[in-house]
Amino acid sequence: MSVIVAQSLHIFGLRSRVANNVCYFDEQIIIYPSGNSCVKYHLEQKWQKFIQGSEKSQGMLALAMSPNRRYLAISEIVQEKPTITIYELSSVPCKKRKVLSVFDFPVQEFVSLAFSPDSKYLVAQTGPPESNLAYWMWEKQRMMAIVKADIQNNPVYQVSFNPQDNTQVCITGNGIFKLFRYTEGTLKQTNFQRGEPQNYLSHVWLTEDRVMVGTDTGKLFLFESGDLRWETSIECKEPPSEVEKDELAHESESLIEFPTASSPDLSSEMLCEAVGQQQASFPQISAIAAYSKGFACSAGPGVVLLFEKTEEKEGYRENREIRIPQDQRSSDPNQSDKQDVMCMCFSPSEETLLISTSKNQLYIFTMSSTEIIKGEPAHFEYLNFPLHSAAITGLDICIRKPLVATCSLDRSVRIWNYETNTLDLYKEYQEEAYAVSLHPTGLYVLVGFSDKLRLMNLLIDDIRTFKDFTVRGCRECTFSNGGHLFAAVNGNVIHIYSTTSFENVNNLKGHNGKVRSVIWSADDNKLISCGTDGAVYEWSLLTGKRESECVLKSCSYSGVAISPDAKIIFAVGSDQTLKEISDSSILREVPTFDVTYTAIVVSHSGRMVFTGTSMGTIRSMKYPLPVHKEFNEYQAHAGPVTKMSITCDDQFLLTVSEDGCLLIWKVYDKEGRGLKREKEVGYAEEVLITKTDMEEKTQVMLELKTRVEELKMENEYQLRLKDMNYNEKMKELTEKFIQEMESLKTKNQVLKAEKEKQELQYQEQLSELMEKQSREVQDLESGNNQKLLLEYEKYQELQVKSQRMQEEYEKQLHDMEETKNQALEELTEYYEAKLHEKTTLLEEAQDDARQQLREFEETKKQIEEDEDREIQEIKIKYERRLREERESNLRLKGETGIMRKKFNSLQKEIEERSNDIETMRMEQQKLQGVIKSLEKDILGLKREIQERDETIQDKEKRIYDLKKKNQELEKFKFVLDYKIKELKKQIEPRENDIKAMKEQIQEMEGELERFHKQNMQLELNITELRQKLKATDREMHKEQQKERDMEALVKRFKTDLHNCVGFIQEPKKLKEGIRELYDKYVQQADMVEIVGVDTDLQQEYTRQREHLERNLATLKKKVVKESEIHRADNVRIMQENVSLIKEINELRRELKVTRTQVHDLQSALGLNRKNKKQGIPDTVPSRDLLPSPSVLRLNVEEETERIIEMQRLEIKRLRDQIQGQEHVLALRPLSGGRLPMLEIERSHGTQPQ
């Protein structure tokens, strides 16, 4: 495989034609489709993570985010088949959870998707002519229901779930508003349309039973449970002139501002096609989103309205209008904001509103601003930058800056920064831009328009034209690598211009068709071009003539590239091959495997080749080009790749496509490391700015400074005035408060006097009331004594009555107990007889088929136990109730005895007694109801017994059918056993070959061990020789030290002798000096003579040295011979390893074939097992039905795989050992010139001989 890896780093673009194309993952991360993948984008940190689309995908159609924000469903077309892929967003990176690609109903595409509130179900709407609505339990890939949503082939735009109900679904379309409910395995329509059908473009659930629907005529309908409850109409609103003035003033003040994108009219989506002449007077409501206070809806091009719920039950009123701002850099600013809103969504906290438009733009709005500034007009802001809204036709990079220039059919030129992932400059023109080229310095840009070719300056905040060239419809232009020339294509002629003098240096004519691509060589001496005429020409810029040509009329070339050394040309075209051209001849043709290459680029190192395909994918391969399918392919764009470019340091790859997206790739090697830059040169930070702009800005700064000073003076004056006013007000207020305090003091004194008067009056009144109350209390006591006597007489009468009622109630309870016991005995006898009959029948059935009906016996036992348990529970329940009633009677008797003793609580006891009597009556009624329910239970049990009889008969029939199936399976098992035996016979000889190879490997291991021992012995000898050399070195150093000492002694003696010679005229001093010399030097001189003057030892030393030198030479020769022998042995072992690897590869292929055969047999056996399991759900599966040899066979295969893996690891280990030995021999130092000093150790050096 290719070792070059490209990883998608950042993408600029949006696919607005995808339904529900914007959604929030959390408060800071959004998901939107771009290219052929979905992008997770962090709003604050600005990073992107990619959710790659399916391989061979032809584009996405719809998205759906689950309510729990864990899953993302994508509808796409893969190999002309509709597919729904569900991704798990919580994993990093996002993984595919399920893929729905096999459907039991006709379908061409899914136009809308939605998850249920609990995220377990998925509903999908297909497009016309089928218009089916499908309902899945997606985790199990089980289709729950399907219904045809429309019969008249009208388009359906949107489908959604009720936010509180998994079973209710809503769909809207042209003349379609339907509510479906899932019941009993089907989707049933629950509403019926009344009135004239409308073109319903969008809808949203406001509550669990309310749906707001928008139409193409500007009408909003509120449906509750399918019935119309409220409606309103929206009219097109023009922005007021004051708003425009404010915008212009604001734009003039701001220094840096990104304008909006403008584009020619594009077919936005299916719902936009339904809009007719009504668009001029009525806005279309193409998107609606709900939030806690109400909902937001689109109200025509560039307008979003916020509605809030009114105090009335069903009404909503318009609260705020939000507009897309006009673009003053657009060619037509008044039309730049006329963009249809395709999708909108609120963040989870409802702080921000995000929208996508028909011109592939993303806008954001902060909801808190609606509350802060309600009087001012509200406008959306770009999410990041204005994006391309049509196909990108041109792409180029420069050397000195990290800039990328793109041009598009939306008439705009944009300058991007691929290091900071930002948009630096942008400008829109009247004509369409076909080609773009950046000067190597990054200060100039060349753009080919439909009417002329323009050379422009890249200023700090503008792209300004300074030279026009009369080249109409320039489809290709490019600067030379040095920047002194540029080439521009006009039809089939290539014009060469000078960048400094702007003269037409040369015209290259020779193509018969349109030139599609031109490229300069690294030294700018050559220019390579290709065209639709099937010609690839190499031009010399010095002579202006063709140096080489390669013409293939059957191929229409679309892209060309050149190697860094300018020797090899790479060309791609319509014949689905990649051609390698050199010296006017095609060296190689690499197939593209059923894909057309549309663009090609070669790295500056010459080791990497990248191609773009018509399917929107990117392929990376290593040079030299592979013959087989050895490349990495990446899903990139949703349209054909138009241009590709690679940065000068081979770090980044940039691709653009007809889908309007710019994709930045990071290039790695196979291990994941970034490719190293050859030279670390910082990017230039210089920018261009005109003198007039500088003067204007300095003038503006001076004016602003003067204005600031004036404002400071004015503010200080105003502050002084305010201080004076406030001081005066403070004085007035203090005087006023002093007056009020004095008046309050006088009032307080008056109120105190009044209070004392009122206290005296109240004391007199209170004494009168106390006397009156005492008299009334005495009267009440006498009256109450009389009433108590009367009440006591009444109590005695009631007591007699209660005794009578108690006796009657006890009689009734006794009678009810007897009747109840009789009924229970009859029921138990009846059911025991029935149970006895059923048990006899079951025993007979068990004798007939005991082994096959084990599960039925268990169920029968469970039924018997349940029935006994139910009867026992009924008995216990009623006995408990009787016991409770008896206890309550005893409690009542005790209460009546206590009542006689306590006179003060007579009235309370009577009331409690009456309440107890009422509760007894209620219990009596309950008991009668229980008896009736028992009778109903008896009837139900009879019905159950009949139904179980019928189920016994059905199971007997199924057992008979299963016996027949078992016989057929046993026949099939016999055939499979025979086939497995044959396969075993085929595998046995291969196992013998593996054993033989094992023996060979063991022999090789023995040889390697011998070599290892020899090497160890040689190493020991060499270490001994090294030790001897070290010993001789030490001896030599000692001798040298002695020689130096002797020389020093001789020098000292000479100096002392010279001093003595000075006393030659004085005999005494001379004599003393000579005596001192004798005492000082004679003994040392004798020692030196004894040590160093032996001539025999010197001769012996030289003789030993010569002998050791001869031995060392022979040892060197032996080492050279042995190293040659080792190399020959290593070569032989390597050859044997190669042959073994070939044999192992052949064995692998044979094993793959046998494995596939065994897998087919196992799959056949697996199908039979599944049939058996589906056929016998109520019986115990027999373990003897499936053959066991398949399991044994699998174990043998696993064992062979394990053996091969072990052999592979052993071969790798042996290779590493051989390489290590070669490395040691190569690095082993030869012996130096120093020799050992002893002759006794010579024998150690001759031992290996």
Side-chain angles (χ1 to χ4, degrees), residues 708-720:
V708 166
E709 290 175 357
E710 289 173 1
L711 287 170
K712 279 183 180 178
M713 296 288 290
E714 190 176 349
N715 286 330
E716 288 174 358
Y717 177 68
Q718 293 289 336
L719 283 169
R720 282 197 293 271

Side-chain angles (χ1 to χ4, degrees), residues 517-519 528-530 536 557-562 569-572 599-601:
S517 179
V518 293
I519 189 167
I528 291 85
S529 63
C530 68
V536 177
Y557 287 107
S558 59
V560 69
I562 188 170
I569 300 168
F570 303 93
V572 294
I600 184 170
V601 66

Side-chain angles (χ1 to χ4, degrees), residues 409-626:
L409 296 179
D410 61 5
R411 304 175 184 175
S412 69
V413 176
R414 296 167 200 263
I415 308 298
W416 312 84
N417 190 316
Y418 59 79
E419 275 204 338
T420 59
N421 296 326
T422 55
L423 177 64
D424 284 0
L425 288 173
Y426 156 73
K427 196 166 184 181
E428 193 169 308
Y429 299 89
Q430 295 285 345
E431 299 84 16
E432 292 180 347
Y434 297 131
V436 68
S437 180
L438 264 178
H439 194 268
T441 60
L443 299 175
Y444 314 103
V445 64
L446 186 69
V447 184
F449 292 96
S450 57
D451 59 343
K452 61 184 70 175
L453 179 69
R454 294 175 182 170
L455 184 61
M456 296 181 279
N457 285 330
L458 296 180
L459 303 180
I460 190 170
D461 57 354
D462 193 14
I463 304 174
R464 197 168 295 173
T465 305
F466 71 93
K467 181 65 178 175
D468 292 342
F469 300 91
T470 57
V471 180
R472 296 179 61 84
C474 178
R475 297 276 177 174
E476 191 71 26
C477 63
T478 177
F479 276 103
S480 64
N481 293 311
H484 60 292
L485 299 173
F486 66 86
V489 174
N490 184 7
N492 56 0
V493 179
I494 304 170
H495 301 282
I496 308 297
Y497 287 90
S498 172
T499 310
T500 53
S501 63
F502 309 124
E503 293 179 358
N504 189 354
V505 178
N506 215 331
N507 292 325
L508 307 179
K509 299 179 181 179
H511 282 280
N512 296 324
K514 290 183 178 180
V515 178
R516 295 289 299 278
S517 179
V518 293
I519 189 167
W520 295 83
S521 63
D523 56 1
D524 293 337
N525 290 327
K526 295 179 183 179
L527 185 75
I528 291 85
S529 63
C530 68
T532 57
D533 55 353
V536 177
Y537 293 149
E538 183 179 349
W539 308 85
S540 173
L541 270 299
L542 299 175
T543 60
K545 296 180 181 179
R546 284 183 296 198
E547 285 193 350
S548 65
E549 61 181 36
C550 179
V551 181
L552 186 65
K553 292 185 178 180
S554 61
C555 175
S556 175
Y557 287 107
S558 59
V560 69
I562 188 170
S563 62
D565 56 1
K567 292 181 179 179
I568 297 171
I569 300 168
F570 303 93
V572 294
S574 60
D575 61 348
Q576 296 187 352
T577 58
L578 168 58
K579 296 178 179 61
E580 195 174 342
I581 302 169
S582 178
D583 297 330
S584 302
S585 62
I586 299 173
L587 297 180
R588 295 173 65 194
E589 288 189 5
V590 180
T592 63
F593 303 99
D594 299 330
V595 174
T596 302
Y597 287 156
T598 56
I600 184 170
V601 66
V602 178
S603 67
H604 296 83
S605 64
R607 294 185 288 109
M608 299 179 286
V609 179
F610 298 93
T611 59
T613 68
S614 58
M615 299 295 292
T617 59
I618 302 297
R619 290 182 178 178
S620 66
M621 56 194 80
K622 194 175 181 182
Y623 186 79
L625 298 176

Side-chain angles (χ1 to χ4, degrees), residues 755-982:
K755 180 189 172 188
E756 290 174 355
K757 290 179 183 179
Q758 287 179 0
E759 282 180 352
L760 293 170
Q761 289 177 3
Y762 286 136
Q763 285 177 0
E764 292 174 357
Q765 289 177 4
L766 197 141
S767 61
E768 291 175 358
L769 286 170
M770 289 295 287
E771 291 175 358
K772 187 177 179 182
Q773 186 182 5
S774 61
R775 287 195 298 272
E776 288 177 355
V777 166
Q778 290 175 1
D779 295 337
L780 285 169
E781 283 180 356
S782 61
N784 282 330
N785 288 328
Q786 292 176 2
K787 286 180 181 179
L788 281 170
L789 292 170
L790 292 171
E791 290 294 331
Y792 181 70
E793 292 175 356
K794 287 180 182 179
Y795 168 70
Q796 287 180 347
E797 292 176 0
L798 287 169
Q799 189 175 1
V800 174
K801 284 182 181 179
S802 66
Q803 288 177 356
R804 290 176 187 170
M805 288 174 70
Q806 187 175 354
E807 291 173 358
E808 291 176 359
Y809 185 62
E810 286 177 353
K811 287 180 182 178
Q812 288 178 1
L813 283 174
H814 186 68
D815 296 336
M816 286 171 70
E817 285 177 1
E818 290 179 353
T819 54
K820 202 181 294 177
N821 291 327
Q822 288 177 1
L824 285 170
E825 287 175 358
E826 290 175 359
L827 285 170
T828 50
E829 288 176 359
Y830 177 74
Y831 280 119
E832 283 177 357
K834 284 284 185 183
L835 286 170
H836 185 68
E837 293 175 1
K838 293 299 175 185
T839 49
T840 54
L841 291 170
L842 286 169
E843 287 175 357
E844 292 175 359
Q846 286 172 358
D847 295 334
D848 295 332
R850 186 164 292 168
Q851 293 179 354
Q852 291 81 5
L853 295 175
R854 289 177 184 172
E855 291 181 358
F856 178 74
E857 285 176 359
E858 291 175 359
T859 54
K860 180 181 74 64
K861 289 177 182 177
Q862 289 174 1
I863 291 164
E864 288 176 356
E865 289 172 1
D866 291 337
E867 287 174 351
D868 292 334
R869 198 182 300 112
E870 286 173 2
I871 293 164
Q872 194 67 25
E873 286 174 358
I874 291 165
K875 283 182 180 179
I876 292 164
K877 187 196 290 184
Y878 286 114
E879 285 175 0
R880 187 171 60 250
R881 287 188 181 179
L882 286 170
R883 199 179 300 113
E884 288 173 358
E885 288 172 0
R886 286 172 183 166
E887 288 174 359
S888 63
N889 287 330
L890 291 171
R891 191 166 57 252
L892 287 170
K893 287 178 182 178
E895 285 174 356
T896 52
I898 293 164
M899 283 162 63
R900 290 172 187 167
K901 296 176 183 177
K902 295 180 182 179
F903 180 74
N904 293 326
S905 60
L906 284 173
Q907 191 66 30
K908 292 179 182 179
E909 292 294 333
I910 291 164
E911 290 175 358
E912 288 176 0
R913 191 67 177 167
S914 60
N915 290 330
D916 292 334
I917 291 163
E918 287 177 0
T919 54
M920 292 296 178
R921 285 177 185 169
M922 294 296 291
E923 286 178 359
Q924 186 179 359
Q925 290 176 359
K926 286 179 183 177
L927 288 170
Q928 290 177 356
V930 168
I931 290 164
K932 290 179 181 178
S933 64
L934 284 170
E935 291 175 355
K936 290 179 182 177
D937 292 337
I938 290 163
L939 294 171
L941 288 168
K942 287 180 180 178
R943 289 195 206 97
E944 283 182 4
I945 290 164
Q946 291 177 357
E947 288 174 359
R948 284 173 182 165
D949 290 337
E950 292 174 357
T951 54
I952 288 165
Q953 293 176 359
D954 294 333
K955 286 182 178 178
E956 286 176 353
K957 290 179 183 177
R958 288 174 69 185
I959 288 162
Y960 179 75
D961 295 332
L962 289 170
K963 282 182 178 177
K964 288 183 178 178
K965 287 182 181 178
N966 281 335
Q967 291 175 358
E968 293 175 358
L969 287 171
E970 284 176 357
K971 294 176 183 176
F972 192 67
K973 174 192 163 189
F974 179 77
V975 175
L976 289 174
D977 287 338
Y978 181 75
K979 288 182 179 178
I980 288 164
K981 288 176 182 176
E982 289 182 350

